[in-house]
Protein backbone atom coordinates (compact mmCIF):
# COMPACT_ATOMS: atom_id res chain seq x y z
CA UNK A 1 0.00 0.00 0.00
CA UNK A 2 1.22 3.53 -0.79
CA UNK A 3 -0.14 6.94 0.14
CA UNK A 4 -1.33 7.38 -3.45
CA UNK A 5 -3.02 4.00 -3.78
CA UNK A 6 -4.98 2.40 -0.92
CA UNK A 7 -7.50 -0.14 -2.34
CA UNK A 8 -10.05 -1.79 -0.05
CA UNK A 9 -9.61 -5.49 0.65
CA UNK A 10 -12.29 -8.09 1.36
CA UNK A 11 -12.46 -9.49 4.90
CA UNK A 12 -9.59 -11.83 5.76
CA UNK A 13 -10.50 -14.98 7.73
CA UNK A 14 -9.04 -15.07 11.23
CA UNK A 15 -5.84 -17.06 11.38
CA UNK A 16 -6.36 -20.31 13.29
CA UNK A 17 -4.20 -21.68 16.06
CA UNK A 18 -3.63 -18.48 18.05
CA UNK A 19 -4.34 -19.85 21.49
CA UNK A 20 -2.30 -22.99 20.95
CA UNK A 21 0.78 -20.97 19.99
CA UNK A 22 0.58 -18.83 23.11
CA UNK A 23 0.52 -21.83 25.42
CA UNK A 24 3.79 -23.48 24.34
CA UNK A 25 6.77 -24.37 26.51
CA UNK A 26 10.19 -22.77 26.49
CA UNK A 27 11.86 -23.33 23.15
CA UNK A 28 14.84 -22.22 21.09
CA UNK A 29 16.10 -22.93 17.60
CA UNK A 30 18.30 -25.76 18.99
CA UNK A 31 21.23 -24.79 16.82
CA UNK A 32 19.36 -25.14 13.53
CA UNK A 33 20.55 -23.09 10.60
CA UNK A 34 17.88 -20.66 9.47
CA UNK A 35 17.49 -19.90 5.79
CA UNK A 36 17.18 -16.18 6.43
CA UNK A 37 15.63 -13.30 8.34
CA UNK A 38 12.29 -11.89 7.16
CA UNK A 39 11.36 -8.47 8.58
CA UNK A 40 7.81 -7.45 7.67
CA UNK A 41 6.74 -3.81 7.98
CA UNK A 42 2.98 -3.80 8.39
CA UNK A 43 0.06 -1.86 9.85
CA UNK A 44 -3.40 -2.62 11.19
CA UNK A 45 -4.57 0.46 9.28
CA UNK A 46 -3.40 -0.79 5.88
CA UNK A 47 -5.97 -2.65 3.78
CA UNK A 48 -3.21 -4.33 1.76
CA UNK A 49 -1.46 -5.79 4.82
CA UNK A 50 -3.61 -8.76 5.99
CA UNK A 51 -2.33 -11.08 3.21
CA UNK A 52 1.23 -10.20 4.22
CA UNK A 53 0.45 -10.86 7.88
CA UNK A 54 -0.88 -14.27 6.82
CA UNK A 55 2.24 -14.93 4.72
CA UNK A 56 4.42 -14.19 7.74
CA UNK A 57 2.38 -16.68 9.79
CA UNK A 58 2.99 -19.31 7.09
CA UNK A 59 6.73 -18.71 7.34
CA UNK A 60 6.60 -18.98 11.13
CA UNK A 61 4.74 -22.29 10.86
CA UNK A 62 7.35 -23.66 8.46
CA UNK A 63 10.09 -22.74 10.95
CA UNK A 64 12.86 -22.21 8.41
CA UNK A 65 13.35 -18.45 8.82
CA UNK A 66 13.46 -15.88 11.59
CA UNK A 67 10.23 -13.96 10.98
CA UNK A 68 9.46 -10.60 12.61
CA UNK A 69 6.60 -8.10 12.20
CA UNK A 70 7.34 -4.42 12.71
CA UNK A 71 4.08 -2.48 13.06
CA UNK A 72 4.53 1.11 11.86
CA UNK A 73 2.61 4.22 12.87
CA UNK A 74 2.41 6.37 9.73
CA UNK A 75 -1.01 5.01 8.67
CA UNK A 76 -2.64 5.94 11.99
CA UNK A 77 -4.07 9.11 10.44
CA UNK A 78 -6.48 6.97 8.38
CA UNK A 79 -8.66 6.49 11.46
CA UNK A 80 -7.18 3.59 13.40
CA UNK A 81 -4.09 3.80 15.62
CA UNK A 82 -2.23 0.50 15.29
CA UNK A 83 -2.20 -1.04 18.77
CA UNK A 84 1.17 -2.73 18.15
CA UNK A 85 2.98 0.11 16.39
CA UNK A 86 6.01 1.98 17.74
CA UNK A 87 7.95 4.93 16.39
CA UNK A 88 11.11 2.81 16.69
CA UNK A 89 9.64 0.30 14.22
CA UNK A 90 8.93 3.14 11.80
CA UNK A 91 12.45 4.50 12.29
CA UNK A 92 13.92 1.08 11.47
CA UNK A 93 11.99 0.96 8.21
CA UNK A 94 13.19 4.43 7.22
CA UNK A 95 16.74 3.38 8.10
CA UNK A 96 16.40 0.45 5.73
CA UNK A 97 15.06 2.82 3.07
CA UNK A 98 18.30 4.82 3.35
CA UNK A 99 20.34 1.63 3.08
CA UNK A 100 18.38 0.51 0.00
CA UNK A 101 18.64 3.94 -1.63
CA UNK A 102 14.86 4.45 -1.57
CA UNK A 103 13.17 7.83 -1.15
CA UNK A 104 10.19 6.48 0.80
CA UNK A 105 8.60 3.50 2.55
CA UNK A 106 5.53 1.37 1.98
CA UNK A 107 3.49 -1.43 3.52
CA UNK A 108 3.52 -4.34 3.36
CA UNK A 109 7.28 -4.38 2.83
CA UNK A 110 9.58 -7.28 3.67
CA UNK A 111 13.31 -6.75 4.15
CA UNK A 112 15.34 -9.92 3.63
CA UNK A 113 18.60 -10.49 5.54
CA UNK A 114 18.96 -6.71 5.78
CA UNK A 115 19.97 -6.74 2.11
CA UNK A 116 16.94 -6.44 -0.19
CA UNK A 117 13.17 -5.99 -0.13
CA UNK A 118 10.04 -7.44 -1.74
CA UNK A 119 6.28 -7.06 -1.34
CA UNK A 120 5.35 -8.75 1.92
CA UNK A 121 2.31 -10.47 0.40
CA UNK A 122 4.38 -12.41 -2.16
CA UNK A 123 5.34 -15.55 -0.27
CA UNK A 124 6.91 -17.23 -3.29
CA UNK A 125 9.08 -14.17 -4.01
CA UNK A 126 10.25 -14.11 -0.40
CA UNK A 127 11.34 -17.75 -0.53
CA UNK A 128 12.91 -17.40 -3.97
CA UNK A 129 14.89 -14.29 -3.03
CA UNK A 130 16.19 -15.91 0.15
CA UNK A 131 17.31 -18.98 -1.80
CA UNK A 132 19.12 -16.77 -4.31
CA UNK A 133 20.81 -14.84 -1.51
CA UNK A 134 21.99 -18.01 0.18
CA UNK A 135 23.40 -19.38 -3.07
CA UNK A 136 25.29 -16.15 -3.78
CA UNK A 137 26.81 -15.64 -0.33
CA UNK A 138 24.09 -13.43 1.12
CA UNK A 139 22.77 -15.90 3.68
CA UNK A 140 23.52 -16.34 7.38
CA UNK A 141 27.06 -17.75 7.54
CA UNK A 142 27.80 -17.02 11.23
CA UNK A 143 26.31 -19.46 13.77
CA UNK A 144 24.25 -17.87 16.55
CA UNK A 145 22.69 -19.77 19.46
CA UNK A 146 20.38 -18.56 22.24
CA UNK A 147 19.38 -20.70 25.22
CA UNK A 148 17.89 -20.39 28.71
CA UNK A 149 19.71 -21.80 31.73
CA UNK A 150 18.54 -21.00 35.24
CA UNK A 151 18.14 -17.25 35.54
CA UNK A 152 20.17 -16.41 32.45
CA UNK A 153 19.81 -16.27 28.71
CA UNK A 154 23.06 -17.25 27.04
CA UNK A 155 23.80 -15.96 23.54
CA UNK A 156 26.72 -17.50 21.67
CA UNK A 157 28.09 -16.16 18.40
CA UNK A 158 30.54 -18.21 16.37
CA UNK A 159 33.54 -17.20 14.32
CA UNK A 160 33.33 -15.40 11.01
CA UNK A 161 34.49 -12.38 9.05
CA UNK A 162 33.89 -8.70 9.67
CA UNK A 163 32.23 -6.79 12.48
CA UNK A 164 28.58 -6.58 13.52
CA UNK A 165 26.20 -5.50 16.26
CA UNK A 166 24.45 -8.07 18.40
CA UNK A 167 20.81 -6.95 18.30
CA UNK A 168 18.01 -8.43 20.40
CA UNK A 169 14.50 -7.95 19.03
CA UNK A 170 11.72 -8.62 21.55
CA UNK A 171 8.31 -9.64 20.22
CA UNK A 172 4.85 -10.87 21.20
CA UNK A 173 4.35 -14.34 19.78
CA UNK A 174 0.67 -13.85 18.99
CA UNK A 175 -1.94 -11.13 19.35
CA UNK A 176 -5.56 -11.05 18.23
CA UNK A 177 -6.85 -7.56 17.45
CA UNK A 178 -10.32 -6.35 16.53
CA UNK A 179 -9.89 -3.35 14.28
CA UNK A 180 -12.73 -0.91 14.96
CA UNK A 181 -11.98 1.89 12.51
CA UNK A 182 -10.05 2.62 9.35
CA UNK A 183 -9.54 0.50 6.24
CA UNK A 184 -9.75 -2.83 8.10
CA UNK A 185 -12.79 -1.85 10.18
CA UNK A 186 -14.69 -4.81 11.56
CA UNK A 187 -11.94 -7.37 11.01
CA UNK A 188 -10.44 -9.54 13.72
CA UNK A 189 -6.86 -10.25 12.72
CA UNK A 190 -4.22 -12.47 14.30
CA UNK A 191 -0.78 -10.89 14.37
CA UNK A 192 2.38 -12.91 14.90
CA UNK A 193 5.85 -11.99 16.20
CA UNK A 194 4.94 -8.32 16.57
CA UNK A 195 8.08 -6.43 17.60
CA UNK A 196 7.81 -4.37 20.78
CA UNK A 197 11.44 -3.41 21.48
CA UNK A 198 14.88 -3.50 19.86
CA UNK A 199 18.16 -3.37 21.79
CA UNK A 200 21.80 -3.56 20.78
CA UNK A 201 23.56 -5.53 23.53
CA UNK A 202 27.11 -5.69 22.22
CA UNK A 203 29.51 -5.94 19.31
CA UNK A 204 31.11 -8.87 17.51
CA UNK A 205 34.52 -8.65 15.82
CA UNK A 206 34.73 -11.95 13.99
CA UNK A 207 35.86 -14.02 16.98
CA UNK A 208 33.61 -16.36 18.99
CA UNK A 209 31.77 -14.37 21.66
CA UNK A 210 29.20 -14.90 24.40
CA UNK A 211 26.63 -12.53 25.88
CA UNK A 212 24.30 -12.90 28.86
CA UNK A 213 20.86 -11.46 29.59
CA UNK A 214 18.55 -12.01 32.59
CA UNK A 215 15.96 -14.68 31.81
CA UNK A 216 13.33 -12.38 33.25
CA UNK A 217 13.25 -10.35 30.01
CA UNK A 218 11.04 -13.07 28.55
CA UNK A 219 8.69 -13.53 31.51
CA UNK A 220 6.53 -10.52 30.69
CA UNK A 221 3.51 -11.61 28.69
CA UNK A 222 2.90 -14.92 30.53
CA UNK A 223 4.32 -17.16 27.85
CA UNK A 224 3.48 -14.86 24.94
CA UNK A 225 6.94 -13.36 24.59
CA UNK A 226 9.97 -14.22 22.54
CA UNK A 227 13.10 -12.68 21.10
CA UNK A 228 15.30 -12.90 18.07
CA UNK A 229 19.04 -12.37 18.15
CA UNK A 230 20.32 -10.70 14.99
CA UNK A 231 23.98 -10.36 14.10
CA UNK A 232 23.77 -7.25 11.94
CA UNK A 233 26.53 -5.23 10.34
CA UNK A 234 26.05 -1.47 10.03
CA UNK A 235 26.47 0.74 6.99
CA UNK A 236 27.05 3.67 9.34
CA UNK A 237 26.14 4.59 12.91
CA UNK A 238 22.44 4.95 12.09
CA UNK A 239 21.96 2.76 9.02
CA UNK A 240 21.61 -1.04 9.29
CA UNK A 241 23.31 -3.38 6.87
CA UNK A 242 23.35 -7.12 6.14
CA UNK A 243 22.27 -9.63 8.78
CA UNK A 244 24.80 -12.48 8.88
CA UNK A 245 23.50 -14.64 11.72
CA UNK A 246 20.30 -15.14 13.73
CA UNK A 247 18.58 -17.19 16.40
CA UNK A 248 15.23 -17.18 18.21
CA UNK A 249 14.09 -17.94 21.76
CA UNK A 250 10.55 -18.30 23.15
CA UNK A 251 9.26 -17.98 26.69
CA UNK A 252 7.30 -20.77 28.34
CA UNK A 253 3.65 -20.97 29.29
CA UNK A 254 2.33 -19.18 32.39
CA UNK A 255 5.44 -17.00 32.46
CA UNK A 256 7.67 -19.94 33.48
CA UNK A 257 10.98 -20.52 31.76
Amino acid sequence: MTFASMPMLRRLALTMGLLGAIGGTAAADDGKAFKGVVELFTSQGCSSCPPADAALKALIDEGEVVALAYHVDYWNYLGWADTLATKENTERQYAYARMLGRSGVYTPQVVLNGRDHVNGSDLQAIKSRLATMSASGGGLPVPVDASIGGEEISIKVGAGEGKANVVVVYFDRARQVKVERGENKGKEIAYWHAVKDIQTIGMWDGKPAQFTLPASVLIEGRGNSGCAVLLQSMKDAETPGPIIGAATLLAGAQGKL
Side-chain angles (χ1 to χ4, degrees):
M1 182 171 121
T2 65
F3 279 97
S5 175
M6 297 180 286
M8 295 301 293
L9 185 71
R10 66 181 180 272
R11 182 177 178 87
L12 179 72
L14 179 65
T15 305
M16 299 301 292
L18 175 63
L19 297 179
I22 294 177
T25 57
D29 53 71
D30 295 325
K32 70 181 293 183
F34 286 109
K35 292 183 177 180
V37 176
V38 177
E39 296 178 275
L40 169 66
F41 293 91
T42 186
S43 172
Q44 295 169 11
C46 162
S47 64
S48 301
C49 285
D53 301 320
L56 190 80
K57 173 58 164 56
L59 291 170
I60 292 169
D61 286 345
E62 292 173 2
E64 295 184 338
V65 303
V66 174
L68 301 166
Y70 297 82
H71 286 245
V72 297
D73 60 7
Y74 49 80
W75 294 119
N76 289 356
Y77 81 96
L78 293 176
W80 176 253
D82 191 308
T83 61
L84 301 173
T86 69
K87 63 181 181 63
E88 289 80 11
N89 289 349
T90 300
E91 289 168 357
R92 184 167 178 84
Q93 188 180 22
Y94 273 96
Y96 271 135
R98 293 194 300 272
M99 183 272 294
L100 294 166
R102 295 181 56 85
S103 59
V105 296
Y106 67 94
T107 55
Q109 180 187 37
V110 155
V111 175
L112 303 172
N113 293 352
R115 297 174 181 268
D116 202 355
H117 73 104
V118 297
N119 187 297
S121 300
D122 194 338
L123 187 57
Q124 186 55 46
I126 292 170
K127 293 180 178 181
S128 177
R129 193 71 57 88
L130 285 175
T132 299
M133 284 183 178
S134 181
S136 61
L140 306 176
V142 181
V144 178
D145 176 75
S147 61
I148 296 174
E151 298 180 350
E152 294 182 347
I153 293 174
S154 175
I155 298 169
K156 298 179 181 179
V157 182
E161 297 182 359
K163 295 182 179 181
N165 287 352
V166 181
V167 180
V168 179
V169 182
Y170 299 95
F171 58 82
D172 284 337
R173 293 167 67 183
R175 290 288 182 188
Q176 182 175 324
V177 177
K178 183 176 181 179
V179 181
E180 298 179 352
R181 294 181 298 278
E183 291 191 345
N184 290 317
K185 179 180 179 180
K187 296 179 180 178
E188 281 193 68
I189 305 175
Y191 293 103
W192 302 84
H193 290 201
V195 172
K196 56 185 181 181
D197 195 16
I198 310 168
Q199 295 180 343
T200 299
I201 64 167
M203 296 185 65
W204 172 83
D205 62 1
K207 300 176 183 178
Q210 184 167 343
F211 305 86
T212 302
L213 294 174
S216 59
V217 298
L218 290 186
I219 291 178
E220 183 180 2
R222 297 181 63 81
N224 193 32
S225 62
C227 69
V229 181
L230 307 180
L231 190 63
Q232 185 161 31
S233 60
M234 299 294 291
K235 184 175 181 180
D236 56 46
E238 297 181 350
T239 308
I243 296 172
I244 57 177
T248 59
L249 189 63
L250 305 178
Q254 305 302 317
K256 297 178 182 178
L257 299 175

